[in-house]
Amino acid sequence: MRIGELAARSGVSVRSLRYYEEQDLLFSTRSASGQRHYTEDAVERVTFLQRMYAAGLSSRTIAELLPCVDSPSEEASDAALERMAEERDRLDEHIAELVRTRESLDVLMATNRAHRKTLRSATTV
């Protein structure tokens, strides 16, 4: 199938498909005129890539995990699980930082509210 059909069937933009190829996450053959052609398996591959991106994984990390998909083995599966655990830990750290940032913003908002009360009190006197 050509790139437009793959895009339509997988719900992904043509631009995304080209990006996946640039990152060596997706592969195609080329016709004599240079048009990309994909196998039926490409639809499932793109769906899988989208799930990985939705989980917050980068292209680099996805590329590291693909051996588990492309050449399944216990060793590849263990390596993929370890890499995903590292990503989960990274996300946990990021979430903790976001919580601290939100708490700092809450303090600033409380300070602002208190200041507004003093402004109202000063204008009603």
Side-chain angles (χ1 to χ4, degrees):
M1 82 187 80
R2 291 177 44 192
I3 195 166
E5 183 180 348
L6 178 57
R9 289 181 56 190
S10 62
V12 173
S13 70
V14 168
R15 183 176 181 178
S16 292
L17 296 175
R18 288 185 183 122
Y19 175 77
Y20 298 162
E21 281 200 57
E22 288 171 12
Q23 300 301 309
D24 292 327
L25 304 175
L26 181 65
F27 304 96
S28 66
T29 58
R30 297 289 181 125
S31 68
S33 62
Q35 294 179 335
R36 291 174 170 91
H37 289 275
Y38 300 91
T39 64
E40 283 296 317
D41 294 341
V43 176
E44 186 177 329
R45 175 73 161 219
V46 171
T47 301
F48 175 76
L49 294 173
Q50 286 296 293
R51 287 179 39 210
M52 301 292 268
Y53 280 116
L57 301 177
S58 67
S59 297
R60 180 181 297 153
T61 301
I62 294 169
E64 292 174 18
L65 297 174
L66 285 178
C68 183
V69 175
D70 296 335
S71 303
S73 69
E74 192 172 331
E75 182 180 321
S77 180
D78 289 346
L81 185 58
E82 183 177 328
R83 185 66 180 99
M84 286 186 283
E86 290 170 3
E87 282 299 308
R88 189 174 195 290
D89 291 344
R90 183 188 62 78
L91 287 172
D92 284 342
E93 290 173 21
H94 187 64
I95 290 167
E97 180 61 32
L98 288 171
V99 168
R100 286 190 294 275
T101 301
R102 183 185 62 199
E103 289 169 352
S104 294
L105 183 57
D106 287 343
V107 169
L108 289 173
M109 291 171 66
T111 302
N112 180 277
R113 287 185 186 106
H115 179 69
R116 288 185 66 201
K117 284 183 183 179
T118 62
L119 291 175
R120 282 190 202 132
S121 297
T123 59
T124 57
V125 173

